[in-house]
């Protein structure tokens, strides 16, 4: 990725861990249908975030750990400022819009610009992901937009519930804790039933947002699998928040395009060397 390794040796490198799933088939009872509806609307009050997090990224070619200030507005802009060293000097400033992206690589005095596409996202972060999905992943939420009739099966076990849901692009499986009404994991499959995305949410914390209680994970694990690459092309990201504000009052994302920098058009380059 564009960022340099920082804090090397200060902590063990974090990777995506295994997740247990229920195995006992169950019917879609009225109680489990209500649980699905409640979980689907639980994150609707969230619209912005300003926080600080450690991020570990692992690709088939390399692995990095960075410290980041994450600012985002759901369905709008997202900014990630990467810092390095004991003094926390900024080394990269990234702005992601729904249709474009700008990355100021301060170490090499260059500005990377291009469309906001999964290809360009992979060139920057090592994660081939759509923008809306990545934004929700950094928030620690999952959008459940499919109606009840899309649920193909339900399983229970060890105090958890999982729903298998048919989608336009394949299917997804969602793991829910019925006591806290939180989503603990998500698996996304393509039309050939190949696993393409996996997410885990851990260490939940509850906050008051817009007069309601909202529970979000402090730790987020994300794995993307690319069938085109050797070894299934697993790309992993682990996000651990140190602190964050939800829906901060008067929050805006300000990004200044740097002057006198070498401009690189991401749409015209292949996978960049750091990947």
């Amino acid at each position: 990725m564009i960022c340099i390794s920082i804090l090397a040796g200060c902590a063990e490198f974090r990777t995506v861990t295994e997740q247990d799933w229920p195995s006992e088939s169950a019917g879609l009872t009225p109680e489990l249908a209500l649980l699905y509806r409640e979980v689907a609307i639980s994150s609707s009050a969230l619209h912005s975030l300003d926080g600080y997090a450690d991020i570990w990224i692992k690709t088939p070619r390399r692995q990095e750990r960075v410290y980041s200030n994450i600012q985002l507005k759901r369905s709008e802009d997202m900014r990630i400022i990467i810092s390095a060293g004991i003094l926390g000097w900024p080394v990269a400033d990234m702005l992601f819009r729904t249709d474009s992206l700008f990355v100021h690589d301060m170490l090499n005095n260059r500005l990377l610009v291009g469309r906001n596409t999964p290809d360009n996202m992979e060139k920057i972060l090592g994660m081939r992901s759509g923008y809306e999905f990545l934004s929700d992943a950094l928030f620690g939420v999952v959008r459940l937009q499919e109606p009840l009739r899309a649920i193909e099966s339900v399983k229970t076990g060890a105090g958890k519930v999982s729903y298998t849901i048919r989608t336009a692009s394949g299917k997804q499986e969602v793991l829910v804790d019925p006591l806290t009404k939180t989503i603990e994991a998500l698996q996304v499959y393509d039309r050939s039933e190949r696993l393409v995305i996996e997410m885990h949410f851990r260490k939940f914390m509850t906050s008051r947002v817009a007069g309601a209680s909202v529970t979000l994970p402090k730790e987020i694990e994300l794995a993307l699998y690319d069938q085109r690459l050797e070894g299934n092309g697993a790309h992993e990201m682990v996000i651990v928040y140190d602190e964050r504000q939800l829906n901060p009052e008067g929050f805006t994302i300000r990004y200044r395009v740097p002057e006198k920098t070498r401009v690189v058009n991401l749409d015209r380059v292949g996978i960049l060397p750091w990947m």
Side-chain angles (χ1 to χ4, degrees):
M1 67 185 283
I2 191 171
C3 315
I4 63 170
S5 296
I6 64 172
L7 306 177
C10 295
E12 182 179 356
F13 193 86
R14 298 284 300 271
T15 58
V16 174
T17 56
E18 294 185 359
Q19 176 71 55
D20 294 328
W21 288 76
S23 58
E24 182 179 346
S25 296
L28 184 60
T29 64
E31 292 79 12
L32 293 178
L34 176 60
L35 174 64
Y36 179 84
R37 292 192 188 98
E38 291 176 331
V39 171
I41 65 173
S42 61
S43 65
S44 59
L46 299 172
H47 57 72
S48 58
L49 177 150
D50 187 4
Y52 294 87
D54 283 301
I55 300 179
W56 290 263
I57 294 181
K58 181 181 179 182
T59 76
R61 296 182 59 180
R62 67 185 303 171
Q63 57 187 32
E64 304 287 354
R65 180 191 178 198
V66 299
Y67 188 69
S68 309
N69 174 205
I70 300 172
Q71 305 173 345
L72 68 87
K73 288 189 172 184
R74 292 181 77 181
S75 303
E76 296 184 36
D77 294 349
M78 174 172 63
R79 184 182 185 187
I80 302 178
I81 305 171
I82 305 296
S83 301
I86 297 176
L87 298 178
W89 294 111
V91 296
D93 192 351
M94 312 178 188
L95 177 68
F96 301 87
R97 291 176 173 159
T98 55
D99 61 351
S100 57
L101 55 84
F102 303 82
V103 179
H104 183 197
D105 176 4
M106 301 175 183
L107 294 178
N108 297 295
N109 192 33
R110 60 182 174 178
L111 179 67
L112 311 176
V113 300
R115 295 170 297 155
N116 193 338
T117 63
D119 283 341
N120 284 344
M121 196 76 75
E122 183 178 11
K123 296 170 189 177
I124 296 301
L125 296 175
M127 305 295 293
R128 183 178 173 80
S129 169
Y131 174 71
E132 183 177 276
F133 179 83
L134 180 62
S135 175
D136 282 350
L138 291 175
F139 236 122
V141 301
V142 172
R143 298 182 192 230
L144 293 182
Q145 299 174 318
E146 289 73 20
L148 283 174
R149 63 177 180 274
I151 297 176
E152 293 190 335
S153 64
V154 183
K155 293 182 180 180
T156 60
K160 310 294 182 183
V161 179
S162 68
Y163 299 88
T164 299
I165 307 161
R166 180 60 55 183
T167 66
S169 58
K171 70 176 182 180
Q172 62 184 27
E173 295 186 10
V174 180
L175 180 66
V176 175
D177 184 331
L179 295 179
T180 60
K181 296 181 174 58
T182 54
I183 294 177
E184 294 192 346
L186 168 73
Q187 291 181 330
V188 179
Y189 296 83
D190 63 16
R191 290 190 179 91
S192 300
E193 298 195 351
R194 295 176 298 192
L195 179 64
V196 292
I197 298 172
E198 185 169 5
M199 295 179 66
H200 307 150
F201 305 107
R202 311 194 190 281
K203 296 188 177 180
F204 287 86
M205 300 180 65
T206 301
S207 304
R208 296 291 294 179
V209 178
S213 294
V214 175
T215 302
L216 288 178
K218 180 181 177 182
E219 299 185 3
I220 302 156
E221 299 177 353
L222 171 63
L224 282 78
Y225 305 96
D226 191 336
Q227 307 294 331
R228 304 169 305 168
L229 303 179
E230 183 180 356
N232 204 25
H235 288 58
E236 299 182 4
M237 176 184 289
V238 177
I239 305 109
V240 178
Y241 280 99
D242 293 325
E243 60 179 281
R244 63 187 162 190
Q245 292 181 288
L246 303 175
N247 294 3
E249 186 176 353
F251 177 69
T252 58
I253 295 178
R254 297 183 177 89
Y255 184 87
R256 184 178 64 84
V257 176
E259 301 176 354
K260 299 180 180 179
T261 57
R262 181 166 61 93
V263 177
V264 176
N265 188 338
L266 283 171
D267 296 325
R268 298 181 180 178
V269 299
I271 296 295
L272 298 176
W274 49 78
M275 286 293 103

